[in-house]
């Protein structure tokens, strides 16, 4: 798998990165703007207090007018109250926009990940996707609902405060600014270091999520091979690195906080020395000096918060960068606009000189699928055989456009599949795979997954479809589950046996009632008897449905009208099973190797297979083929 976490992030500037949240935040901007305004008003009330103090010190305190003193005290109390009220209002206002933006982005990323092609998922670790949809979006939410508004209103407050300092005393204000300059240097250093760290840390947590996901998913394998400790070791290594990075981030932030803590105080101390001297020289009134320091004290809070707010901002920025790496991934499988409801065709599937190679294949390697031409007639069942790794699964992924062909074309009822809207195409072609994936939902939800046209699963119509599909797939075991077809099966169907899962997946493909059924060895986990029963039931379905069936057992091959042999990326031979047995040495060799991979011990298989085969033969009239297959099997020995 491509390790995306290690790819260096593209630095496109903090503002450009952050601005990408705009499309999701547009509707919330008025509320965020109002929140900022309210925050600024709170600061304005705070900054007005020193004004009152100056008036108090230079006025009533000098003259000893007690009524005015009480008046000033009352005014200060009122300003304090207003400040608290507006801070409260700001908090309430900015609470919801973040959560709304969060929900919008989460939906968008989920939908996009769903839309992206299989090839994208081949190269991305699930943990990296998961952490983007969870952690990174939370970072953006925190920033939107708190960081941004505070950063804007605090920055304006600081600028406003400095302007007020100038009005009290330009000289003192200049000294204050000059003495504060080191903060800028440390702020800029912090930006570079913290931004980089934030990105690496978030990538690291993505790797940790991958570890968790993989070991939970593969828990049986880890346990059975006694490799739990190794998995724990790998997890611990990744998690420890995540912890170290968090500590690094923390100490970088602490350094900035340290500088933002003492540099302004140092600036204030310089101002104090100078200010007292100015006041004693008479060029500054005591009230002005008092107000200068009171203003500076009001600024202390916003200045101290800047480090924390910058940290939030840089984290949100790398979160957005990571989110948009996924959102920017384009889907090369282009869809066409749906013109009308898909009509049911005859289900003729034609491969015309089809080529396919994975994107990352080395240039000197031939195409994995190197020019396949195959004509599957309406209602015909075509078996696809070939040695392991010959590309059978790849071929089955092409008609439904899980991968796009890289050369040639595939026609469904004479129409290039690239010109059929994906939704329509995938309704017309249903698939079942060897590794049957089920969802944590009711049995009936899983089986009826492909029936977009049936919305009410409780209707008699839905019930009829479900019952028939379960019957054909020999999945009657579901009625013995605690709540029958309403039983919720475990995550990825793990509480069912492999064969049970395969039968449900097959039922799902059958229930979809497609024109073309593509089955990638969906019966591999069944015992021979069950497989035979499924096959004879399938035969009824397949009589009207076109099917492309990857076969690993001679008995599956015999289900087919014709067989195509895939060899070195090409169709080496195509014909009925008996024709090929006679004409193609390569086919005989593959068929005998298929027989060898059957799970029953040789001697037993000779009995069971022939009994079962006879059953199928009787119901299908394939006697010649059956004799041939057994003869071939014996030849192979
Ligand atoms: N995402 C991928 N990127 C690159 N190569 C791949 C990818 N997926 C599969 N392959 C390669 O393509 C080849 C064909 O794989 P495929 O799964 O189609 O074989 P198969 O005939 O179905 O094998 P089996 O009988 O074992 O199921 C294999 O060599 C495999 O390594
Ligand atoms: Mg395969």
């Amino acid at each position: 798998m491509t390790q995306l976490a290690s790819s260096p992030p593209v630095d496109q500037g903090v503002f450009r990165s952050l601005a990408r949240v705009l499309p999701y935040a547009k509707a919330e901007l008025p509320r965020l703007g109002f929140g900022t305004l309210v925050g600024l008003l709170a600061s304005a009330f705070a900054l007005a207090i020193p004004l009152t103090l100056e008036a108090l010190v230079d006025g009533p305190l000098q003259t000893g007018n007690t009524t005015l003193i009480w008046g000033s005290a009352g005014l200060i109390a009122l300003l304090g109250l207003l400040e608290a009220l507006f801070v409260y209002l700001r908090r309430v206002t900015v609470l919801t926009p973040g959560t709304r933006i969060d929900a919008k982005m989460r939906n968008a990323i989920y939908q996009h990940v769903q839309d992206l092609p299989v090839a994208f998922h081949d190269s991305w670790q699930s943990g990296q996707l998961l952490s983007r949809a969870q952690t990174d979006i939370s970072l953006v939410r925190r920033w939107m609902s708190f960081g941004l508004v505070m950063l804007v209103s605090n920055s304006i407050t600081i600028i406003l405060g400095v302007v007020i300092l100038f009005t009290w005393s330009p000289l003192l204000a200049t000294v204050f600014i000059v003495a504060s300059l080191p903060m800028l240097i440390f702020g800029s250093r912090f930006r570079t270091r913290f931004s980089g760290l934030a990105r690496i840390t978030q990538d690291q947590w993505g790797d940790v999520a991958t570890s968790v996901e993989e070991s939970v998913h593969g828990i049986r394998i880890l346990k059975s091979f006694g490799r739990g400790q190794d998995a724990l070791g790998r997890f611990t290594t990744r998690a420890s690195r995540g912890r170290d990075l968090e500590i690094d981030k923390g100490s970088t932030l602490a350094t900035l906080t340290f500088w933002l803590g003492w540099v302004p105080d140092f600036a204030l101390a310089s101002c104090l020395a100078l200010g007292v001297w100015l006041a004693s020289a008479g060029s500054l009134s005591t009230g002005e000096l008092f107000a200068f320091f009171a203003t500076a004290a009001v600024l202390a809070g916003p200045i101290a918060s800047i480090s924390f707010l910058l940290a939030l901002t840089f984290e949100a920025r790398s979160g957005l960068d990571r989110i948009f790496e996924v959102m920017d991934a384009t889907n090369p499988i282009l869809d066409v606009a749906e013109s009308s409801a898909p009509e049911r065709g005859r289900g003729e599937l034609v491969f015309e000189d089809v080529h396919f190679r994975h994107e990352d294949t080395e240039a000197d390697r031939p195409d994995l699928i190197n020019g396949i031409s195959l004509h599957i007639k309406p209602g015909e069942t075509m078996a696809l055989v070939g040695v392991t790794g010959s590309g059978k699964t790849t071929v089955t992924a092409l008609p439904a456009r899980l991968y796009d062909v890289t050369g040639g074309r595939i026609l469904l009822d004479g129409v290039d599949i690239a010109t059929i809207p994906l939704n329509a195409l995938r309704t017309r072609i249903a698939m079942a795979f060897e590794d049957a994936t089920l969802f944590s939902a009711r049995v009936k939800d899983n089986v009826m997954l492909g029936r977009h046209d049936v919305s009410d699963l409780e209707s008699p119509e839905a019930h009829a479809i479900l019952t028939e599909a379960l019957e054909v797939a020999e999945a009657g075991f579901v009625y013995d589950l605690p709540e029958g077809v309403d039983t919720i099966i475990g995550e990825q169907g793990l509480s069912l046996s492999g064969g049970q899962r395969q039968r449900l997946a097959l039922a799902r493909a059958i229930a979809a009632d497609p024109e073309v059924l593509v089955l990638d060895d969906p019966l591999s986990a069944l015992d021979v008897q069950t497989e035979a029963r499924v096959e004879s039931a399938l035969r009824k379905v397949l009589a009207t449905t076109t099917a492309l069936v990857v076969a690993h057992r001679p008995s599956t091959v015999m289900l087919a009208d014709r067989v195509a042999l895939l060899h070195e990326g090409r169709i080496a031979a195509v014909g009925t099973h008996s024709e090929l047995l006679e004409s193609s040495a390569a086919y005989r060799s593959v068929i005998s190797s298929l027989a060898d991979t059957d799970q029953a011990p040789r001697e037993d298989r000779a009995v069971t297979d022939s009994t079962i085969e006879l059953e199928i033969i009787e119901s299908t009239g394939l006697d010649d083929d059956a004799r041939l297959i057994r003869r071939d099997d014996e030849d192979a020995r």
Side-chain angles (χ1 to χ4, degrees):
M1 276 197 177
T2 321
Q3 172 55 278
L4 281 137
S6 59
S7 59
V10 187
D11 193 353
Q12 52 171 351
V14 182
F15 287 109
R16 271 177 72 182
S17 290
L18 291 172
R20 300 202 65 184
V21 79
L22 266 178
Y24 303 93
K26 240 183 211 151
E28 306 303 325
L29 286 183
R31 212 180 159 102
L32 287 172
F34 180 68
T36 313
L37 188 73
V38 169
L40 275 174
L41 283 174
S43 305
F45 289 125
L47 283 171
I49 294 177
L51 280 172
T52 324
L53 281 176
E54 189 263 349
L56 181 72
V57 174
D58 282 348
L61 272 188
Q62 305 275 341
T63 59
N65 183 339
T66 45
T67 8
L68 277 177
I69 292 178
W70 283 115
S72 300
L75 187 60
I76 289 173
L78 181 69
L79 285 171
L81 188 69
L82 282 173
E83 185 200 350
L85 204 68
F86 275 73
V87 166
Y88 169 77
L89 198 59
R90 186 203 71 218
R91 288 196 170 226
V92 174
T93 313
V94 299
L95 215 61
T96 39
T99 48
R100 290 208 194 117
I101 294 165
D102 173 302
K104 241 186 230 172
M105 291 193 81
R106 226 180 271 271
N107 286 344
I109 195 169
Y110 184 81
Q111 188 181 354
H112 192 65
V113 165
Q114 288 279 308
D115 286 345
L116 283 169
V118 177
F120 171 87
H121 292 279
D122 286 345
S123 64
W124 271 73
Q125 296 176 344
S126 50
Q128 287 293 355
L129 292 177
L130 199 71
S131 63
R132 278 162 170 84
Q134 298 280 355
T135 330
D136 289 305
I137 287 188
S138 300
L139 289 172
V140 176
R141 184 196 58 222
R142 243 174 14 134
W143 180 67
M144 287 305 296
S145 58
F146 178 68
L148 175 64
V149 167
M150 289 291 286
L151 192 65
V152 173
S153 67
N154 283 5
S155 303
I156 297 179
T157 305
I158 293 171
I159 294 169
L160 213 67
V162 170
V163 171
I164 294 176
L165 289 185
F166 262 98
T167 61
W168 295 133
S169 162
L171 183 62
L172 281 187
T174 311
V175 171
F176 182 76
I177 288 172
V178 171
S180 301
L181 279 182
M183 286 199 308
L184 286 184
I185 300 163
F186 285 102
S188 133
R189 258 203 218 167
F190 169 78
R191 185 191 87 88
T192 320
R193 179 150 173 73
F194 194 86
S195 289
L197 272 174
R199 172 66 208 226
I200 303 171
T201 312
Q202 279 152 250
D203 285 343
Q204 187 62 27
W205 290 129
D207 283 351
V208 171
T210 302
S211 289
V212 175
E213 203 266 348
E214 276 179 0
S215 51
V216 169
H217 196 187
I219 190 72
R220 284 149 202 265
I221 295 157
L222 291 176
K223 277 188 186 297
S224 64
F225 285 93
R227 286 292 186 177
Q229 282 304 320
D230 299 67
L232 178 65
R234 272 196 305 279
F235 171 80
T236 314
T237 312
R238 287 180 163 183
S240 317
R241 175 150 161 73
R243 181 202 55 203
D244 292 346
L245 284 165
E246 287 291 356
I247 292 175
D248 245 15
K249 245 169 63 178
S251 62
T252 310
L253 182 58
T255 312
L256 182 73
T257 313
F258 168 71
W259 287 99
L260 290 194
W262 80 263
V263 169
D265 287 341
F266 169 78
L268 263 188
S270 322
C271 290
L272 185 65
L274 184 66
V276 170
W277 182 74
L278 284 176
S280 63
S283 54
L284 194 69
S285 77
T286 321
E288 281 166 339
L289 184 64
F290 203 78
F292 183 91
F293 285 103
T295 307
V298 172
L299 292 188
I303 291 177
S305 73
I306 288 289
S307 55
F308 172 63
L309 294 173
L310 283 180
L312 275 187
T313 307
F314 296 138
E315 280 177 341
R317 177 261 171 105
S318 52
L320 279 167
D321 282 348
R322 277 168 47 87
I323 291 165
F324 279 99
E325 276 166 14
V326 176
M327 297 299 278
D328 288 344
T330 50
N331 189 350
I333 300 196
L334 297 176
D335 201 356
V336 284
E338 212 138 343
S339 47
S340 55
E343 281 170 30
R344 204 182 161 85
R346 298 176 309 143
E348 180 191 48
L349 191 64
V350 177
F351 288 72
E352 267 185 15
D353 191 27
V354 168
H355 287 254
F356 175 79
R357 64 192 291 125
H358 286 287
E359 218 170 74
D360 47 6
T361 314
E362 294 126 40
D364 55 344
R365 296 278 296 273
D367 287 354
L368 179 57
I369 304 302
N370 203 4
I372 284 185
S373 293
L374 195 61
H375 183 168
I376 310 173
K377 298 181 206 125
E380 184 181 31
T381 300
M382 176 76 77
L384 189 63
V385 299
V387 294
T388 176
S390 56
K392 303 180 294 295
T393 298
T394 313
V395 171
T396 59
L398 299 176
R401 296 186 69 199
L402 297 187
Y403 295 105
D404 258 344
V405 298
T406 48
R409 54 183 199 154
I410 298 175
L411 308 170
L412 179 60
D413 289 328
V415 180
D416 188 340
I417 53 165
T419 65
I420 302 175
L422 278 177
N423 259 341
L425 178 70
R426 290 173 184 169
T427 316
R428 293 170 66 182
I429 299 176
M431 308 184 67
F433 308 92
E434 182 177 8
D435 58 341
T437 302
L438 301 173
F439 296 97
S440 355
R442 294 175 305 175
V443 168
K444 60 163 98 152
D445 298 315
N446 271 288
V447 175
M448 297 295 282
L449 194 76
R451 287 308 286 254
H452 305 271
D453 55 324
V454 182
S455 49
D456 178 14
L457 290 192
E458 313 307 323
S459 65
E461 187 204 359
H463 186 254
I465 297 169
L466 181 71
T467 315
E468 200 205 328
L470 289 173
E471 194 182 313
V472 173
E474 281 283 320
F477 69 89
V478 295
Y479 298 112
D480 298 331
L481 294 175
E483 283 165 64
V485 291
D486 289 314
T487 312
I488 293 177
I489 44 187
E491 196 174 48
Q492 302 193 351
L494 279 184
S495 57
L496 298 178
S497 79
Q500 288 172 331
R501 277 189 287 144
Q502 278 196 341
R503 276 177 280 167
L504 282 188
L506 182 64
R508 175 166 64 199
I510 293 166
D513 188 27
E515 286 158 41
V516 179
L517 197 57
V518 178
L519 307 176
D520 184 6
D521 205 19
L523 308 176
S524 61
L526 304 193
D527 59 79
V528 187
Q529 280 91 341
T530 314
E531 189 197 3
R533 282 201 305 275
V534 173
E535 278 171 4
S536 69
L538 250 186
R539 201 145 250 297
K540 284 184 235 138
V541 177
L542 295 186
T544 52
T545 310
T546 313
L548 178 61
V549 185
V550 172
H552 266 129
R553 286 182 185 176
S555 47
T556 321
V557 175
M558 289 169 51
L559 181 73
D561 300 311
R562 285 193 300 157
V563 192
L565 172 66
L566 186 61
H567 181 65
E568 292 183 348
R570 291 210 172 83
I571 300 292
V574 61
T576 64
H577 176 61
S578 47
E579 278 167 12
L580 290 191
L581 277 182
E582 274 191 71
S583 63
S584 166
Y587 184 69
R588 281 195 294 273
S589 140
V590 170
I591 283 294
S592 62
S593 73
L594 292 190
D596 283 343
T597 58
D598 259 357
Q599 287 141 1
R602 268 194 164 278
E603 291 75 8
D604 294 350
R605 207 184 57 236
V607 181
T608 45
D609 269 7
S610 50
T611 347
I612 308 300
E613 276 161 17
L614 277 175
E615 272 177 37
I616 304 173
I617 293 155
E618 266 162 19
S619 63
T620 56
L622 281 172
D623 349 23
D624 284 352
D625 300 8
R627 254 177 269 122
L628 282 169
I629 214 174
R630 217 161 301 123
R631 195 175 63 209
D632 196 77
D633 214 349
E634 274 153 19
D635 287 350
R637 281 178 228 178

